[in-house]
Amino acid sequence: FEYRHLCAEALEELCWDEASVTAAVEGTDFIIAKGIPVVELGASTVREHWHNAEMLPDADYECMIKIIEERHPDLAPLAEAYSAGDMFYPCNMVIMSKKLLDVYFPILFDVMDEFERRTDMSRYSIQGLRTTGHLAERLFGMFYLHAMRAQLVVKELEVAYFKDTSRIPERPQPSSSDAVGIVFASNDAFVPCLDVALASLYENASPQRNYDIAVFTTDISAANERVLMQRAARYGNMSLRIINVRRFLADKELSTKAIVGHISVETFYRFLILDIMAAYHKVLYLDCDLLIQADVGDLYDHDLGDCLIGAVIDADYLANLNLDMAGKVYDEAELCGRLKYSREVLGMQDPYGYFQAGVLLFNVDELRRVHDSISLINMAASGKFDRYLDQDILNSVCDGRVSYLPMEWNALVDHHLGIGRKRLILDWAPADIAKRYMSARANPRIIHYAGPEKPWNYANGDFSREYWAQARTSPYYEQLVANMASASVDARIAGAVQSVTLTRLVKVARGKARGIIRSKFRRSGH
């Protein structure tokens, strides 16, 4: 059996409870891992299986056989029989009666100690130094053969293999009754951007408040974790925790295939707030691609009442709804039909209540009454919500129970796709929304670089100057600059290819046009 994580569901399936384990053990002398036919391992005998292993010298196996013959002659015939046999017992795993252990252990340690005395392993490779363990595995099979021939009560059980046995992290507890609970989600590659976002939070936070910050991840390296923790330690009112959430995902295969191509799987980690941050009444979730310009404690104090979530209306989405209503689309690559999708797939009573999910204030108590992390993760794994993924799911779940935050707390930057986000909103969003969007841009409390045009890829992008002023304080500044330079080179190459292609198309078009003109002139007699 193979499992991705050591979790309660797996242990239940394996009957890992006291009654089941007791029933399996009682009345047996010897329980061993189920044998593997060596033919499945590309060999005909146990000895040949050893011979085929690149890192295991043949001489070492024969040395062990010789030691058994010299020091434990009663076991020697079984050693040869097992070596010539076609069943291999792996893993050095056993449940054995104490009476048998008292017989086996003296043999095991005597043979292995003598092998290491006779063998010069000073130049063995790292894998080669494991030879003693591999030999013990074979000796174990030989002793099992002895138990079977002695007509002892033996049993073979399947081996359960867990890829990840890391400890489930404890749920964070608030550092104080008024602590501001905050969650980010990031992978290792995105740590430089996370660091900039965190730094902007620290520098704008109130020194009179405590802030509990959790970063959900599955792969942030120890080195990057140290850098993040060292920076947070400069501020006495900041508590930063890096939480590996791999085992909370319940083996779900989460797809990020959507209408937009820049979304990573970390976007789904915000669902885990309901489980991991259950000790908090409220939790503020923040994307990493943003720059904080005010104290997020003020946002945290927003009264949610019995609403499930606090969020900012998505001016971009609403503009597209109006485009859809008018039967128009500003970008041919953009999918239309958002109004139908919002009603039929998301089940929204009012699609014009659709919110943006980069800045969210979770009412943990209320939301846990209607949903849990697993149900939201299952929705994500269904593939049904294929436009904006987690954002769609939250809009579906929270429809009608949203407390709308001032747009200054999630001011979306402009971009240059199609006619551009700002132009789109001004031309097509409901008038009051467009005015609020422009007001938020004039005095943003959180600048959100939503979309593919990030300041670390586009130096001249909207609000890039503000971003780079903060980024210069980051220990990852050089890495961010290098990434931007690399992205710039890639963009120039893509532009050059596009330019060459366009030039060729123009030449072809001109050639065809000349041919048409000539043919017309010939027909007209000129």
Side-chain angles (χ1 to χ4, degrees), residues 347-427:
M348 296 185 70
Q349 295 297 312
D350 179 15
Y352 285 85
Y354 190 95
F355 58 81
Q356 215 280 339
V359 177
L360 298 170
L361 188 57
F362 280 81
N363 188 339
V364 178
D365 294 337
E366 286 296 321
L367 198 45
R368 279 171 59 87
R369 288 190 176 96
V370 295
H371 271 282
D372 56 27
S373 296
I374 297 302
S375 67
L376 295 176
I377 291 291
N378 286 338
M379 291 174 73
S382 71
K384 174 183 176 183
F385 304 92
D386 60 357
R387 293 292 177 96
Y388 294 100
L389 305 176
D390 59 295
Q391 184 168 281
D392 288 345
I393 293 170
L394 288 170
N395 271 279
S396 176
V397 167
C398 300
D399 183 45
R401 296 187 66 182
V402 181
S403 179
Y404 292 98
L405 308 172
M407 203 172 288
E408 287 79 6
W409 286 112
N410 189 356
L412 301 180
V413 298
D414 190 14
H415 60 52
H416 301 91
L417 301 176
I419 64 173
R421 176 181 280 145
K422 184 170 72 172
R423 185 77 262 161
L424 168 70
I425 291 171
L426 284 174
D427 288 351

Coordinates of all heavy atoms in Angstrom, one line a residue, residues 347-427:
G347 N -23.7 30.0 -9.1 CA -25.0 30.1 -8.4 C -25.2 31.4 -7.7 O -25.9 31.5 -6.7
M348 N -24.6 32.5 -8.2 CA -24.8 33.8 -7.5 C -26.1 34.4 -7.9 O -26.5 34.5 -9.0 CB -23.6 34.7 -8.0 CG -22.2 34.3 -7.6 SD -21.0 35.5 -8.0 CE -21.4 36.8 -6.8
Q349 N -26.8 34.9 -6.8 CA -28.0 35.6 -7.0 C -27.8 36.9 -7.7 O -28.6 37.3 -8.6 CB -28.7 35.9 -5.7 CG -29.2 34.6 -4.9 CD -30.2 33.8 -5.7 OE1 -31.2 34.4 -6.2 NE2 -30.0 32.5 -5.9
D350 N -26.7 37.6 -7.4 CA -26.3 38.9 -8.0 C -24.9 38.8 -8.4 O -24.0 39.1 -7.6 CB -26.6 40.0 -7.0 CG -26.2 41.4 -7.7 OD1 -26.1 41.4 -8.9 OD2 -26.1 42.4 -6.9
P351 N -24.6 38.5 -9.7 CA -23.2 38.5 -10.2 C -22.5 39.8 -10.0 O -21.2 39.8 -9.9 CB -23.4 38.2 -11.7 CG -24.7 37.4 -11.8 CD -25.6 38.1 -10.7
Y352 N -23.2 40.9 -9.8 CA -22.5 42.2 -9.6 C -22.0 42.4 -8.2 O -21.5 43.4 -7.8 CB -23.5 43.3 -10.0 CG -23.6 43.5 -11.5 CD1 -24.5 42.7 -12.2 CD2 -22.7 44.4 -12.2 CE1 -24.6 42.8 -13.6 CE2 -22.8 44.5 -13.6 CZ -23.7 43.7 -14.3 OH -23.8 43.8 -15.6
G353 N -22.2 41.3 -7.4 CA -21.6 41.3 -6.0 C -20.3 40.5 -6.0 O -19.7 40.3 -4.9
Y354 N -19.7 40.1 -7.2 CA -18.5 39.3 -7.3 C -17.3 40.1 -6.7 O -17.1 41.3 -7.0 CB -18.2 39.0 -8.7 CG -17.1 38.0 -9.0 CD1 -17.4 36.6 -9.1 CD2 -15.8 38.4 -9.1 CE1 -16.4 35.7 -9.4 CE2 -14.8 37.5 -9.3 CZ -15.1 36.1 -9.4 OH -14.1 35.2 -9.7
F355 N -16.5 39.5 -5.8 CA -15.4 40.2 -5.2 C -14.1 39.6 -5.6 O -14.0 38.5 -6.1 CB -15.5 40.1 -3.6 CG -15.6 38.7 -3.1 CD1 -14.5 37.9 -2.9 CD2 -16.9 38.2 -2.7 CE1 -14.6 36.7 -2.3 CE2 -16.9 36.9 -2.2 CZ -15.8 36.1 -2.0
Q356 N -13.0 40.4 -5.4 CA -11.7 40.0 -5.7 C -11.0 39.3 -4.4 O -11.2 39.8 -3.3 CB -10.8 41.2 -6.1 CG -9.8 41.0 -7.2 CD -8.5 40.4 -6.6 OE1 -8.2 40.4 -5.4 NE2 -7.7 39.7 -7.5
A357 N -10.3 38.2 -4.6 CA -9.9 37.4 -3.5 C -8.4 37.6 -3.1 O -7.9 36.8 -2.3 CB -10.1 35.9 -3.8
G358 N -7.8 38.6 -3.5 CA -6.4 38.8 -3.1 C -6.2 39.4 -1.7 O -5.2 39.2 -1.0
V359 N -7.3 40.0 -1.2 CA -7.3 40.6 0.2 C -8.7 40.1 0.8 O -9.7 40.5 0.3 CB -7.2 42.1 0.2 CG1 -7.3 42.6 1.6 CG2 -5.9 42.6 -0.4
L360 N -8.6 39.3 1.8 CA -9.9 38.7 2.3 C -9.8 38.8 3.9 O -8.8 38.5 4.5 CB -10.0 37.3 1.9 CG -10.2 37.0 0.4 CD1 -10.1 35.5 0.1 CD2 -11.5 37.6 -0.1
L361 N -10.9 39.1 4.5 CA -11.1 39.0 5.9 C -12.0 37.9 6.2 O -13.3 38.0 6.0 CB -11.6 40.4 6.5 CG -11.6 40.5 8.0 CD1 -10.2 40.3 8.6 CD2 -12.1 41.9 8.4
F362 N -11.5 36.8 6.7 CA -12.3 35.6 7.0 C -13.0 35.7 8.3 O -12.3 36.0 9.3 CB -11.4 34.3 7.0 CG -11.1 33.8 5.6 CD1 -10.1 34.3 4.9 CD2 -11.8 32.7 5.1 CE1 -9.7 33.8 3.6 CE2 -11.5 32.2 3.9 CZ -10.4 32.8 3.1
N363 N -14.3 35.5 8.3 CA -15.0 35.3 9.6 C -15.0 33.8 9.9 O -15.8 33.0 9.5 CB -16.5 35.8 9.5 CG -17.2 35.8 10.8 OD1 -16.8 35.1 11.7 ND2 -18.3 36.6 10.9
V364 N -13.9 33.4 10.6 CA -13.6 32.0 10.7 C -14.8 31.3 11.4 O -15.2 30.2 11.0 CB -12.3 31.8 11.5 CG1 -12.0 30.3 11.8 CG2 -11.1 32.4 10.8
D365 N -15.3 31.9 12.5 CA -16.4 31.2 13.3 C -17.6 31.0 12.4 O -18.2 29.9 12.4 CB -16.8 32.1 14.4 CG -15.7 32.2 15.5 OD1 -14.8 31.4 15.5 OD2 -15.7 33.2 16.2
E366 N -18.0 32.0 11.6 CA -19.2 31.8 10.8 C -19.0 30.9 9.6 O -19.8 30.1 9.3 CB -19.7 33.2 10.3 CG -20.3 34.1 11.4 CD -21.6 33.5 11.9 OE1 -22.4 32.9 11.1 OE2 -21.8 33.6 13.2
L367 N -17.9 31.0 9.0 CA -17.6 30.2 7.8 C -17.5 28.8 8.1 O -17.9 27.9 7.4 CB -16.3 30.8 7.1 CG -16.1 30.4 5.6 CD1 -17.4 30.5 4.8 CD2 -15.0 31.2 5.0
R368 N -16.9 28.5 9.3 CA -16.8 27.1 9.7 C -18.1 26.4 10.0 O -18.2 25.2 10.0 CB -15.9 27.0 11.0 CG -14.4 27.0 10.7 CD -13.5 27.2 12.0 NE -13.8 26.1 12.9 CZ -13.1 24.9 12.8 NH1 -12.2 24.7 11.9 NH2 -13.4 24.0 13.7
R369 N -19.1 27.2 10.2 CA -20.5 26.7 10.5 C -21.1 26.1 9.2 O -22.0 25.3 9.2 CB -21.4 27.7 11.1 CG -21.1 28.1 12.5 CD -22.1 29.0 13.1 NE -21.9 29.2 14.6 CZ -21.3 30.3 15.0 NH1 -20.9 31.2 14.2 NH2 -21.0 30.5 16.3
V370 N -20.7 26.7 8.0 CA -21.3 26.2 6.8 C -20.3 25.5 5.9 O -20.8 24.8 5.0 CB -21.8 27.5 6.0 CG1 -22.9 28.1 6.8 CG2 -20.7 28.5 5.7
H371 N -19.0 25.6 6.1 CA -18.0 24.9 5.3 C -16.8 24.5 6.1 O -16.5 25.2 7.1 CB -17.6 25.7 4.1 CG -18.5 25.5 2.9 ND1 -18.4 24.3 2.1 CD2 -19.5 26.2 2.4 CE1 -19.3 24.4 1.1 NE2 -20.0 25.5 1.3
D372 N -16.0 23.6 5.6 CA -14.7 23.3 6.2 C -13.7 23.3 5.1 O -14.0 23.3 3.9 CB -14.7 22.0 7.0 CG -15.2 20.8 6.2 OD1 -15.0 20.8 5.0 OD2 -15.7 19.8 6.8
S373 N -12.4 23.1 5.5 CA -11.3 23.2 4.5 C -11.5 22.1 3.5 O -11.3 22.3 2.3 CB -10.0 23.0 5.3 OG -9.7 24.1 6.1
I374 N -11.8 20.9 3.9 CA -11.9 19.7 3.0 C -13.0 19.9 2.0 O -12.8 19.6 0.8 CB -12.1 18.4 3.8 CG1 -10.9 18.1 4.8 CG2 -12.3 17.3 2.9 CD1 -9.6 18.1 4.1
S375 N -14.1 20.4 2.4 CA -15.2 20.6 1.4 C -14.8 21.6 0.3 O -15.1 21.5 -0.8 CB -16.5 21.1 2.1 OG -16.4 22.3 2.7
L376 N -14.1 22.7 0.8 CA -13.6 23.7 -0.2 C -12.5 23.1 -1.1 O -12.5 23.4 -2.3 CB -13.1 24.9 0.5 CG -14.1 25.7 1.3 CD1 -13.5 26.9 2.1 CD2 -15.2 26.3 0.4
I377 N -11.6 22.3 -0.5 CA -10.6 21.7 -1.3 C -11.2 20.7 -2.3 O -10.8 20.6 -3.5 CB -9.6 20.9 -0.4 CG1 -8.7 21.9 0.4 CG2 -8.7 20.0 -1.3 CD1 -7.8 22.7 -0.4
N378 N -12.3 20.0 -1.9 CA -13.0 19.1 -2.8 C -13.6 19.9 -4.0 O -13.6 19.4 -5.1 CB -14.1 18.3 -2.1 CG -13.5 17.2 -1.2 OD1 -12.3 16.8 -1.4 ND2 -14.2 16.8 -0.2
M379 N -14.1 21.1 -3.7 CA -14.7 21.9 -4.8 C -13.6 22.3 -5.7 O -13.8 22.3 -7.0 CB -15.4 23.1 -4.2 CG -16.6 22.8 -3.4 SD -17.3 24.3 -2.5 CE -18.0 25.2 -3.9
A380 N -12.4 22.6 -5.2 CA -11.3 23.0 -6.1 C -10.9 21.8 -6.9 O -10.5 22.0 -8.1 CB -10.1 23.5 -5.2
A381 N -10.9 20.6 -6.4 CA -10.4 19.4 -7.1 C -11.4 19.0 -8.2 O -11.1 18.2 -9.1 CB -10.1 18.3 -6.1
S382 N -12.7 19.5 -8.1 CA -13.7 19.0 -9.0 C -13.5 19.5 -10.4 O -14.0 19.0 -11.4 CB -15.1 19.5 -8.5 OG -15.2 21.0 -8.7
G383 N -12.7 20.6 -10.6 CA -12.5 21.2 -11.9 C -13.7 22.0 -12.4 O -13.6 22.5 -13.6
K384 N -14.7 22.1 -11.6 CA -15.9 22.8 -12.1 C -15.7 24.3 -12.2 O -16.2 25.0 -13.1 CB -17.1 22.5 -11.1 CG -18.3 23.3 -11.3 CD -19.4 23.0 -10.2 CE -20.6 23.8 -10.4 NZ -21.6 23.5 -9.3
F385 N -14.9 24.9 -11.3 CA -14.7 26.3 -11.2 C -13.4 26.7 -12.0 O -12.3 26.8 -11.4 CB -14.6 26.8 -9.8 CG -15.8 26.4 -9.0 CD1 -15.8 25.1 -8.3 CD2 -17.0 27.1 -8.9 CE1 -17.0 24.7 -7.6 CE2 -18.1 26.8 -8.2 CZ -18.1 25.6 -7.5
D386 N -13.6 26.9 -13.3 CA -12.4 27.0 -14.2 C -12.1 28.4 -14.7 O -11.3 28.6 -15.6 CB -12.6 26.0 -15.3 CG -13.8 26.3 -16.2 OD1 -14.5 27.3 -15.8 OD2 -14.0 25.6 -17.2
R387 N -12.7 29.4 -14.1 CA -12.4 30.8 -14.5 C -11.3 31.4 -13.6 O -10.2 31.7 -14.1 CB -13.7 31.7 -14.5 CG -14.7 31.3 -15.6 CD -14.3 31.5 -17.0 NE -15.2 31.1 -18.0 CZ -16.1 31.9 -18.6 NH1 -16.2 33.2 -18.2 NH2 -16.9 31.4 -19.5
Y388 N -11.7 31.6 -12.4 CA -10.8 32.2 -11.4 C -10.6 31.3 -10.2 O -10.3 31.8 -9.1 CB -11.2 33.6 -11.1 CG -11.1 34.5 -12.3 CD1 -12.2 34.9 -13.0 CD2 -9.8 35.0 -12.7 CE1 -12.1 35.7 -14.1 CE2 -9.7 35.8 -13.8 CZ -10.9 36.2 -14.5 OH -10.8 37.0 -15.6
L389 N -10.9 30.0 -10.3 CA -10.5 29.0 -9.4 C -11.0 29.3 -7.9 O -12.2 29.4 -7.7 CB -9.0 28.8 -9.4 CG -8.4 28.5 -10.8 CD1 -6.9 28.4 -10.7 CD2 -9.0 27.2 -11.3
D390 N -10.1 29.5 -7.0 CA -10.5 29.7 -5.6 C -11.3 30.9 -5.4 O -12.2 31.0 -4.6 CB -9.2 29.8 -4.7 CG -8.3 31.0 -5.2 OD1 -7.8 31.0 -6.3 OD2 -8.2 32.0 -4.4
Q391 N -11.1 32.0 -6.2 CA -11.9 33.2 -6.2 C -13.3 32.9 -6.5 O -14.3 33.4 -5.9 CB -11.3 34.2 -7.1 CG -12.0 35.6 -7.1 CD -11.2 36.6 -7.8 OE1 -10.2 37.2 -7.3 NE2 -11.6 36.9 -9.0
D392 N -13.5 32.1 -7.6 CA -14.9 31.6 -7.9 C -15.6 30.9 -6.8 O -16.7 31.0 -6.5 CB -14.8 30.8 -9.2 CG -14.5 31.6 -10.5 OD1 -14.6 32.8 -10.4 OD2 -14.1 31.0 -11.5
I393 N -14.8 29.9 -6.2 CA -15.4 29.1 -5.2 C -15.8 29.9 -4.0 O -17.0 29.7 -3.5 CB -14.3 28.0 -4.7 CG1 -14.1 27.0 -5.9 CG2 -14.8 27.3 -3.5 CD1 -12.9 26.1 -5.6
L394 N -15.0 30.9 -3.6 CA -15.4 31.7 -2.4 C -16.6 32.6 -2.8 O -17.4 32.8 -1.9 CB -14.2 32.6 -2.0 CG -13.1 31.8 -1.3 CD1 -11.8 32.7 -1.1 CD2 -13.5 31.3 0.0
N395 N -16.7 33.1 -4.0 CA -17.8 33.9 -4.4 C -19.1 33.0 -4.4 O -20.2 33.5 -4.0 CB -17.6 34.5 -5.8 CG -16.9 35.9 -5.7 OD1 -17.6 36.9 -5.5 ND2 -15.6 35.9 -5.9
S396 N -18.9 31.8 -4.8 CA -20.1 30.9 -4.8 C -20.5 30.6 -3.4 O -21.7 30.6 -3.1 CB -19.7 29.6 -5.5 OG -20.7 28.6 -5.5
V397 N -19.6 30.3 -2.5 CA -19.9 29.9 -1.1 C -20.4 31.0 -0.3 O -21.3 30.9 0.5 CB -18.6 29.3 -0.5 CG1 -18.8 29.1 1.0 CG2 -18.3 27.9 -1.1
C398 N -19.9 32.2 -0.5 CA -20.2 33.4 0.3 C -21.3 34.3 -0.3 O -21.6 35.3 0.3 CB -18.9 34.2 0.6 SG -17.6 33.2 1.4
D399 N -21.8 33.9 -1.4 CA -22.8 34.8 -2.1 C -23.9 35.2 -1.1 O -24.5 34.4 -0.4 CB -23.4 34.0 -3.3 CG -24.4 34.9 -4.0 OD1 -24.1 36.0 -4.3 OD2 -25.5 34.4 -4.4
G400 N -24.1 36.5 -1.0 CA -25.2 37.1 -0.2 C -24.8 37.3 1.3 O -25.5 37.9 2.0
R401 N -23.6 36.9 1.6 CA -23.1 37.1 3.0 C -21.7 37.6 3.0 O -20.7 37.1 3.6 CB -23.1 35.7 3.8 CG -24.5 35.2 4.0 CD -24.5 34.0 4.9 NE -24.1 34.3 6.2 CZ -24.0 33.5 7.2 NH1 -24.2 32.2 7.0 NH2 -23.6 33.8 8.5
V402 N -21.5 38.7 2.2 CA -20.2 39.4 2.0 C -20.3 40.8 2.6 O -21.3 41.5 2.3 CB -19.8 39.5 0.6 CG1 -18.5 40.1 0.4 CG2 -19.8 38.1 -0.1
S403 N -19.3 41.2 3.4 CA -19.2 42.5 3.9 C -18.2 43.2 3.0 O -17.0 42.8 3.0 CB -18.8 42.6 5.3 OG -18.6 43.9 5.8
Y404 N -18.6 44.2 2.2 CA -17.7 44.8 1.2 C -16.8 45.8 1.9 O -17.2 46.7 2.6 CB -18.5 45.4 0.1 CG -19.1 44.3 -0.7 CD1 -20.5 43.9 -0.5 CD2 -18.4 43.5 -1.7 CE1 -21.1 42.9 -1.2 CE2 -19.0 42.5 -2.4 CZ -20.3 42.2 -2.2 OH -20.9 41.1 -2.9
L405 N -15.5 45.7 1.6 CA -14.4 46.5 2.2 C -14.2 47.7 1.3 O -14.4 47.6 0.0 CB -13.1 45.8 2.4 CG -13.2 44.4 3.1 CD1 -11.9 43.7 3.0 CD2 -13.6 44.7 4.6
P406 N -13.7 48.8 1.8 CA -13.3 50.0 0.9 C -12.3 49.5 -0.1 O -11.4 48.7 0.2 CB -12.7 51.0 1.9 CG -13.3 50.6 3.2 CD -13.5 49.1 3.2
M407 N -12.5 50.0 -1.3 CA -11.6 49.5 -2.4 C -10.2 49.9 -2.3 O -9.3 49.3 -2.9 CB -12.2 50.1 -3.8 CG -11.7 49.3 -5.0 SD -12.5 49.8 -6.5 CE -14.2 49.2 -6.2
E408 N -9.9 50.9 -1.4 CA -8.5 51.3 -1.1 C -7.7 50.1 -0.6 O -6.4 50.1 -0.7 CB -8.4 52.4 -0.1 CG -8.8 53.8 -0.7 CD -10.3 53.9 -0.8 OE1 -11.1 53.0 -0.3 OE2 -10.8 55.0 -1.4
W409 N -8.4 49.1 0.1 CA -7.7 48.0 0.7 C -7.3 46.9 -0.4 O -6.7 45.9 0.0 CB -8.5 47.4 1.8 CG -8.5 48.2 3.0 CD1 -9.6 48.9 3.5 CD2 -7.4 48.5 3.9 NE1 -9.2 49.5 4.7 CE2 -7.9 49.3 4.9 CE3 -6.1 48.1 3.9 CZ2 -7.1 49.8 6.0 CZ3 -5.2 48.5 4.9 CH2 -5.7 49.4 5.9
N410 N -7.7 47.1 -1.6 CA -7.3 46.1 -2.7 C -7.4 46.9 -4.0 O -8.3 46.6 -4.8 CB -8.3 44.9 -2.7 CG -7.8 43.8 -3.6 OD1 -6.8 43.9 -4.3 ND2 -8.5 42.7 -3.6
A411 N -6.5 47.8 -4.2 CA -6.4 48.7 -5.4 C -5.7 47.9 -6.5 O -4.5 47.7 -6.4 CB -5.8 50.0 -5.1
L412 N -6.5 47.5 -7.5 CA -5.9 46.7 -8.6 C -5.1 47.6 -9.5 O -5.6 48.7 -9.9 CB -7.0 46.0 -9.4 CG -7.9 45.0 -8.6 CD1 -8.9 44.4 -9.6 CD2 -7.0 43.9 -7.9
V413 N -3.9 47.2 -9.9 CA -3.1 48.0 -10.8 C -3.6 47.9 -12.2 O -4.3 46.9 -12.6 CB -1.6 47.5 -10.8 CG1 -1.0 47.7 -9.4 CG2 -1.5 46.1 -11.3
D414 N -3.3 48.9 -13.0 CA -3.6 48.8 -14.4 C -2.7 47.8 -15.1 O -1.7 47.4 -14.6 CB -3.4 50.2 -15.0 CG -3.9 50.4 -16.5 OD1 -4.7 49.5 -16.9 OD2 -3.6 51.3 -17.1
H415 N -3.1 47.3 -16.3 CA -2.3 46.5 -17.1 C -2.5 46.8 -18.6 O -3.4 47.6 -18.9 CB -2.4 45.0 -16.8 CG -3.8 44.4 -17.1 ND1 -4.5 44.6 -18.2 CD2 -4.6 43.7 -16.3 CE1 -5.7 44.0 -18.2 NE2 -5.8 43.5 -17.0
H416 N -1.7 46.3 -19.4 CA -1.7 46.7 -20.8 C -2.3 45.6 -21.7 O -2.2 45.6 -23.0 CB -0.3 47.0 -21.3 CG 0.3 48.1 -20.5 ND1 1.0 47.9 -19.4 CD2 0.2 49.5 -20.6 CE1 1.4 49.1 -18.8 NE2 0.9 50.0 -19.6
L417 N -3.0 44.6 -21.2 CA -3.6 43.6 -22.0 C -4.9 44.2 -22.6 O -5.7 44.8 -21.9 CB -4.0 42.4 -21.1 CG -2.8 41.7 -20.4 CD1 -3.3 40.5 -19.6 CD2 -1.8 41.1 -21.5
G418 N -5.1 43.9 -23.9 CA -6.3 44.5 -24.5 C -6.3 46.0 -24.5 O -5.2 46.6 -24.8
I419 N -7.3 46.6 -24.0 CA -7.4 48.1 -23.9 C -6.8 48.5 -22.5 O -6.7 49.7 -22.2 CB -8.8 48.6 -24.0 CG1 -9.7 48.1 -22.9 CG2 -9.3 48.3 -25.4 CD1 -11.1 48.7 -23.0
G420 N -6.5 47.5 -21.7 CA -5.9 47.9 -20.3 C -7.0 47.8 -19.3 O -8.2 48.1 -19.6
R421 N -6.7 47.4 -18.1 CA -7.6 47.3 -17.0 C -8.3 48.6 -16.6 O -9.5 48.7 -16.5 CB -7.0 46.7 -15.8 CG -7.9 46.6 -14.6 CD -7.2 46.0 -13.4 NE -7.1 44.5 -13.4 CZ -6.1 43.8 -13.0 NH1 -5.1 44.4 -12.4 NH2 -6.1 42.5 -13.1
K422 N -7.5 49.7 -16.5 CA -8.1 51.0 -16.1 C -9.1 51.5 -17.1 O -10.2 51.9 -16.8 CB -7.0 52.0 -15.9 CG -7.5 53.3 -15.4 CD -6.4 54.3 -14.9 CE -5.6 54.8 -16.1 NZ -4.6 55.8 -15.7
R423 N -8.7 51.4 -18.4 CA -9.6 51.8 -19.5 C -10.9 51.0 -19.5 O -12.0 51.5 -19.7 CB -8.9 51.7 -20.8 CG -9.6 52.2 -22.0 CD -9.6 53.7 -22.1 NE -10.8 54.3 -21.5 CZ -10.8 55.6 -21.1 NH1 -9.7 56.3 -21.2 NH2 -11.9 56.1 -20.6
L424 N -10.7 49.7 -19.3 CA -11.9 48.7 -19.3 C -12.8 49.1 -18.2 O -14.0 49.2 -18.4 CB -11.4 47.3 -19.0 CG -12.4 46.3 -18.7 CD1 -13.3 46.0 -19.9 CD2 -11.8 45.0 -18.1
I425 N -12.3 49.4 -17.0 CA -13.2 49.7 -15.8 C -13.9 51.1 -16.1 O -15.1 51.2 -15.8 CB -12.3 49.8 -14.5 CG1 -11.9 48.3 -14.2 CG2 -13.1 50.3 -13.4 CD1 -10.9 48.2 -13.1
L426 N -13.1 52.1 -16.6 CA -13.7 53.4 -16.8 C -14.8 53.3 -17.9 O -15.8 54.0 -17.8 CB -12.6 54.4 -17.2 CG -11.7 54.9 -16.1 CD1 -10.6 55.7 -16.7 CD2 -12.5 55.7 -15.1
D427 N -14.6 52.5 -18.9 CA -15.5 52.4 -20.0 C -16.7 51.6 -19.7 O -17.9 51.8 -20.2 CB -14.8 51.9 -21.3 CG -13.9 52.9 -21.9 OD1 -13.9 54.1 -21.4 OD2 -13.1 52.5 -22.8

